[in-house]
Amino acid sequence: MATLNANGTLSSTFYLTGIPGYEEFHHWISIPFCLLYLIGIMGNCTILHIVRTDPRLHEPMYYFLGMLSLTDMGMSLPTMISLFRVLWSISREIQFNICMVQMFFIHTFSFTESSVLLAMALDRYMAICHPLRYATILTPRLITKIGIAALLRSAFAMIPLLARLAFFPFCHSHTLSHSYCLHQDMIRLACADTKFNIIYGLVLITVLWGMDSMGIFVSYVFILHSVLGIASREGRLKALNTCASHICAVLILYVPMIGLSIVHRFAKHSSPLIHIFMAHVYLLVPPVLNPIIYSAKTKQIRQGVLHLLLPTKNNSTVR
């Protein structure tokens, strides 16, 4: 939306922020960010390629892992161009409509990733508690419907927030506190009644993340109950080991997510570096660590990676 700037002229331009106080080092700071984005993109693309090309991985667990890789990239990639434009001193400006699109993708895929983790928890529940019905219930068609439903739920939930934000006047500073657009950052600059956005945002987080986290918790209660009923210690450890990667993925998403929410709600006057650090951790850590964890903890993925890197030695190395 066009808004009045300090000179009384119409403006729809906002200004992104890099690392305050370290502007002269932005080019050097961009190096670790380049490495993190490169690791995240290569890792998730590798997972997707392996799941697509290896017939042994055409199972529900790995289809959901492919969804997780897609949502990881969907959440982090929209920030990449604006981040490097700031760090490489190309431009700090971002137009309001581009900001809205970026915000939509970041928040939509953030909610979608939470839903995918819930689906993965249900997958582990079915595999451990109902192994005989596992393949007949979690068919490729049902998995596709689950993925589409998770994406649509998240996208439609964001529409009221962004639709209302589109009509807000921004007569205060147009300087955002991050190198990309976040809803909680934008409403801070609006000179209008933002109660609806604040309350709706809190309800959205509580309902969507709350329902997903509760579903994950309940799934693991049933999984633990079923595992404890296994007679052998080796069998219990084997069953729990299949859940280790998923538990790590849940912690990697929810811990930074909760930390960022707490910082935005209760530490508004703390150092800007804390806000920026938490936001980058939230958006970059899951895409970087999830492929590493699943490659390290899942034998089939590890074999697929080795086969991709060392195809001529596959028979002697990974079998």
Side-chain angles (χ1 to χ4, degrees):
M1 177 180 179
T3 55
L4 288 173
N5 61 18
N7 298 322
T9 58
L10 289 175
S11 172
S12 60
T13 303
F14 288 81
Y15 299 92
L16 302 169
T17 300
I19 313 295
Y22 296 89
E23 287 80 6
E24 58 189 275
F25 301 108
H26 273 181
H27 285 81
W28 293 105
I29 293 172
S30 70
I31 295 174
F33 278 108
C34 280
L35 292 175
L36 289 173
Y37 274 107
L38 185 62
I39 293 170
I41 292 170
M42 290 182 63
N44 285 291
C45 287
T46 300
I47 295 289
L48 289 169
H49 176 74
I50 292 170
V51 171
R52 185 181 67 86
T53 58
D54 191 339
R56 296 173 301 172
L57 302 185
H58 292 174
E59 298 178 4
M61 173 182 174
Y62 303 107
Y63 289 142
F64 285 125
L65 178 57
M67 288 185 195
L68 184 66
S69 292
L70 286 173
T71 55
D72 273 337
M73 290 195 292
M75 191 169 67
S76 63
L77 288 181
T79 67
M80 184 172 66
I81 295 176
S82 61
L83 171 64
F84 288 121
R85 279 171 60 87
V86 173
L87 294 182
W88 291 341
S89 304
I90 297 173
S91 175
R92 290 179 54 223
E93 295 183 358
I94 185 169
Q95 297 302 310
F96 180 75
N97 56 349
I98 298 175
C99 198
M100 291 282 284
V101 171
Q102 186 183 57
M103 197 187 318
F104 173 79
F105 279 111
I106 292 173
H107 292 297
T108 295
F109 279 106
S110 172
F111 287 127
T112 303
E113 177 149 350
S114 178
S115 301
V116 170
L117 289 174
L118 171 60
M120 295 175 81
L122 296 174
D123 167 79
R124 291 298 82 209
Y125 163 75
M126 290 299 301
I128 294 173
C129 301
H130 303 284
L132 298 179
R133 301 168 57 196
Y134 177 62
T136 56
I137 292 178
L138 288 177
T139 61
R141 185 174 183 179
L142 178 61
I143 293 169
T144 302
K145 289 180 179 180
I146 290 173
I148 293 172
L151 181 61
L152 291 179
R153 183 192 77 158
S154 305
F156 285 133
M158 284 302 300
I159 290 175
L161 278 180
L162 300 185
R164 187 166 174 82
L165 186 65
F167 293 97
F168 280 165
F170 295 90
C171 52
H172 301 310
S173 168
H174 280 204
T175 302
L176 300 170
S177 58
H178 299 287
S179 53
Y180 38 81
C181 301
L182 296 174
H183 174 262
Q184 55 266 40
D185 203 14
M186 291 289 290
I187 60 173
R188 179 178 59 85
L189 303 179
C191 48
D193 186 1
T194 60
K195 286 183 180 178
F196 172 82
N197 282 58
I198 293 172
I199 295 173
Y200 183 84
L202 287 172
V203 170
L204 201 61
I205 291 171
T206 303
V207 171
L208 296 188
W209 287 347
M211 287 176 58
D212 292 343
S213 58
M214 182 59 66
I216 292 170
F217 175 76
V218 171
S219 296
Y220 274 102
V221 169
F222 284 108
I223 288 171
L224 189 59
H225 180 267
S226 180
V227 168
L228 292 176
I230 299 175
S232 68
R233 181 175 181 272
E234 183 181 348
R236 290 195 296 269
L237 291 176
K238 185 177 180 181
L240 289 174
N241 190 55
T242 63
C243 302
S245 300
H246 178 256
I247 293 171
C248 290
V250 170
L251 294 175
I252 286 170
L253 177 70
Y254 279 100
V255 171
M257 180 192 298
I258 293 169
L260 182 62
S261 299
I262 290 173
V263 166
H264 272 286
R265 302 297 176 191
F266 305 109
K268 295 179 180 179
H269 302 293
S270 60
S271 169
L273 293 176
I274 296 176
H275 292 256
I276 292 169
F277 174 76
M278 289 301 300
H280 284 307
V281 167
Y282 167 58
L283 291 173
L284 282 177
V285 168
V288 171
L289 290 188
N290 279 336
I292 295 173
I293 290 171
Y294 273 93
S295 297
K297 296 293 293 181
T298 309
K299 180 182 177 181
Q300 291 82 350
I301 296 295
R302 187 166 63 249
Q303 288 180 342
V305 172
L306 290 174
H307 176 66
L308 193 63
L309 297 176
L310 306 167
T312 58
K313 300 181 181 180
N314 182 51
N315 291 331
S316 60
T317 305
V318 301
R319 295 290 181 186

